Amino acid sequence: MEFFTLHDFMTFTKGVTYLIMGGILIFMPLYWLYLTDRDD
Amino acid sequence: MAQEKPIGEKNFFTPFNVITGIILLIGLILTILRFTKGLGTVTNLDNNNPWGIWIGFDLLCGVALAAGGYVTSSACYIFGLKRYHSAVRPAILTAFLGYALVVLALHYDVGRPQSLTFPFILSRGTSSLLFEVGLCVFLYLTVLFIEWTPAAFEWLGFKKLRNWVVRLTLLLTILGVILSTLHQSSLGALFMIVPSKLHPLWYSGYIHVYFFISSMFAGMSMVIFEGTLTHRYLHDKMDETHLAEADGVVLGFGKAASFIMMGYVGIKIIGISVDNNWHYLTTGWGAWFLLELVGFVLFPAILYSVGSREKNTKLIRIAAIWTVLGIVLNRLNISVVAFNYHLPSAERYFPSFMEIGTTIFIVTVGVVVYKFIATRMPILYEHPEYKEEHH
């Protein structure tokens, strides 16, 4: 992806980063459930 | 506990003693060379590479792996997880020795070790991160020393002093967490001054966060790893409580480390995304970065998770060693391997055998002192006079 302005760069990187953050927010609680579901 | 043999029957020339004796002898020669002939005689450091493995390994790895002290004591005294109580003293001792050796290594590395106190007394560089790191390490080493003293006082029979220090436990734990949070992250933040020297995959505006978060699972892994070693070699020094609680510590810390490591992988990916460094991943440096992140963080995190679900302590202990190696790789990548990455190979730094020898010497001093203390003081067992007193 080529960028010509800082605005382009920020829009692209922030957009991707927010998607990743959303993914992590969903994944981490599920991972915690996976880690603890066999606890007594 | 097993009865010790009478002194006359002890064989002094055990493999451990012989090997450590040789290392200490060579180390003493290197020490004399370093302090009489100067840094240039024993190191490959130069103006392009002023920081070598004495900083990359002895200091950065030493501080990260000594994080078990604040992690374990805060788990026990702040979060109230008293089932980890038996792990506190070994963790505090490891942390205390770790920081003491960091300061020792710093005396070898800085040009004028006699002036190490100058930044605190003569010229306080309060706007410098290095000043903050130095001050925190100095204060935290003092805190760790005080946290360790109850074991020494119990051994020496100083009951009043011991009881007085034990009353400070919570205060010292809080101080330990504050100081660790500050300097673990500041050690990473030191590298924010070199955006053109450190490879973009390792350089990040979040590097201080990476250092702090990774210190947590480094500390937990080190507690598990050190527990494995003491189980194997100092088994006879451990009392029933320590033996009974050991598996619980391994399972609990393994689970916590796995969760934090997954979070760490997540924020590392965010770091790549924020700086749009995706294209570097397909280069040789990218392969090396992925080896570190996937091979030495994600993989042991999965091993930890499977181990804690299956209650497989052996798997967790393997994951702990793997993680410790991963932390060493990460700190060396940042301080040595990916540092000055653009320089031609002839101008790159590679440690001299004398630098490596000095590092092995310092680690060996740590092992010998740990063994000396753990075989004499109530570290792996509770002193009979203070049994059932879970402070």
Side-chain angles (χ1 to χ4, degrees):
Chain A
M1 176 104 185
E2 272 191 274
F3 304 108
F4 297 100
T5 63
L6 180 64
H7 185 264
D8 283 349
F9 178 81
M10 297 299 280
T11 308
F12 176 77
T13 53
K14 274 201 164 185
V16 175
T17 306
Y18 283 143
L19 288 174
I20 294 169
M21 281 178 176
I24 292 171
L25 281 173
I26 295 166
F27 172 77
M28 289 307 284
L30 294 175
Y31 188 64
W32 179 251
L33 290 176
Y34 163 76
L35 278 174
T36 55
D37 69 348
R38 289 192 191 170
D39 284 2
D40 299 327
Chain B
M1 282 179 289
Q3 290 288 313
E4 286 193 20
K5 285 180 184 176
I7 292 168
E9 287 179 32
K10 272 190 177 173
N11 180 15
F12 185 75
F13 292 99
T14 59
F16 176 83
N17 285 357
V18 171
I19 294 167
T20 49
I22 292 168
I23 293 172
L24 294 181
L25 190 67
I26 295 170
L28 284 175
I29 295 166
L30 293 173
T31 304
I32 293 167
L33 274 176
R34 154 68 188 92
F35 288 105
T36 54
K37 305 278 182 188
L39 281 168
T41 313
V42 286
T43 72
N44 282 345
L45 299 172
D46 54 37
N47 287 337
N48 276 330
N49 301 287
W51 284 2
I53 58 162
W54 288 349
I55 294 296
F57 184 84
D58 299 18
L59 198 142
L60 293 184
C61 297
V63 167
L65 297 173
Y70 87 85
V71 170
T72 315
S73 56
S74 59
C76 182
Y77 299 123
I78 295 178
F79 295 102
L81 302 169
K82 297 288 179 190
R83 60 183 181 275
Y84 302 136
H85 184 263
S86 61
V88 172
R89 276 199 180 176
I92 292 288
L93 175 61
T94 312
F96 170 52
L97 292 179
Y99 276 86
L101 294 174
V102 161
V103 175
L104 176 69
L106 208 54
H107 281 78
Y108 283 76
D109 189 75
V110 296
R112 295 183 199 171
Q114 70 275 18
S115 310
L116 259 181
T117 51
F118 279 22
F120 311 122
I121 301 164
L122 286 183
S123 171
R124 285 171 289 279
T126 46
S127 60
S128 161
L129 276 167
L130 201 55
F131 170 76
E132 197 225 318
V133 171
L135 188 62
C136 282
V137 169
F138 159 64
L139 290 173
Y140 188 43
L141 181 61
T142 313
V143 166
L144 281 169
F145 172 73
I146 301 170
E147 279 187 297
W148 165 77
T149 51
F153 290 150
E154 285 175 17
W155 178 57
L156 293 166
F158 298 162
K159 207 168 184 174
K160 271 189 179 173
L161 265 176
R162 181 260 179 206
N163 290 339
W164 191 79
V165 177
V166 163
R167 275 189 221 122
L168 299 174
T169 301
L170 187 62
L171 177 72
L172 292 169
T173 306
I174 293 168
L175 268 177
V177 174
I178 293 170
L179 293 169
S180 294
T181 310
L182 286 166
H183 74 268
Q184 292 281 1
S185 55
S186 301
L187 273 176
L190 283 178
F191 289 89
M192 289 174 87
I193 204 171
V194 286
S196 58
K197 289 185 178 180
L198 185 58
H199 191 279
L201 282 172
W202 283 272
Y203 181 84
S204 167
Y206 300 123
I207 195 167
H208 52 294
V209 181
Y210 299 156
F211 265 61
F212 177 57
I213 302 288
S214 59
S215 81
M216 290 184 202
F217 60 79
M220 289 177 189
S221 303
M222 198 59 196
V223 168
I224 297 171
F225 175 54
E226 177 233 310
T228 309
L229 292 180
T230 46
H231 249 259
R232 188 158 181 172
Y233 299 108
L234 297 169
H235 192 83
D236 58 323
K237 302 289 172 198
M238 300 174 85
D239 66 6
E240 285 167 11
T241 317
H242 280 67
L243 289 170
E245 288 183 4
D247 279 357
V249 172
V250 171
L251 290 170
F253 276 33
K255 188 191 296 172
S258 177
F259 189 71
I260 298 171
M261 286 162 89
M262 277 296 176
Y264 176 77
V265 172
I267 58 172
K268 286 289 272 190
I269 295 170
I270 288 174
I272 298 170
S273 173
V274 165
D275 293 331
N276 198 38
N277 285 331
W278 300 105
H279 58 287
Y280 288 114
L281 292 177
T282 53
T283 64
W285 284 108
W288 187 243
F289 177 82
L290 287 173
L291 176 77
E292 179 199 308
L293 192 63
V294 178
F296 286 91
V297 185
L298 187 62
F299 180 63
I302 294 167
L303 281 188
Y304 269 137
S305 70
V306 174
S308 62
R309 271 170 66 87
E310 308 285 334
K311 310 281 182 246
N312 185 342
T313 54
K314 197 175 175 187
L315 197 60
I316 295 177
R317 289 178 199 278
I318 292 168
I321 298 170
W322 210 293
T323 309
V324 168
L325 290 175
I327 286 293
V328 172
L329 181 66
N330 171 258
R331 298 306 196 253
L332 285 179
N333 275 343
I334 289 170
S335 61
V336 178
V337 181
F339 195 80
N340 278 335
Y341 69 103
H342 55 282
L343 286 183
S345 55
E347 290 177 40
R348 295 293 308 275
Y349 160 83
F350 191 82
S352 71
F353 76 92
M354 287 189 273
E355 281 177 89
I356 298 170
T358 309
T359 292
I360 295 170
F361 164 69
I362 289 172
V363 173
T364 309
V365 168
V367 173
V368 171
V369 177
Y370 184 96
K371 194 180 170 214
F372 178 86
I373 293 173
T375 49
R376 283 161 181 80
M377 300 179 197
I379 301 292
L380 303 168
Y381 63 93
E382 282 186 85
H383 196 281
E385 282 185 40
Y386 308 96
K387 256 195 170 156
E388 304 307 322
E389 188 192 315
H390 281 258
H391 43 267

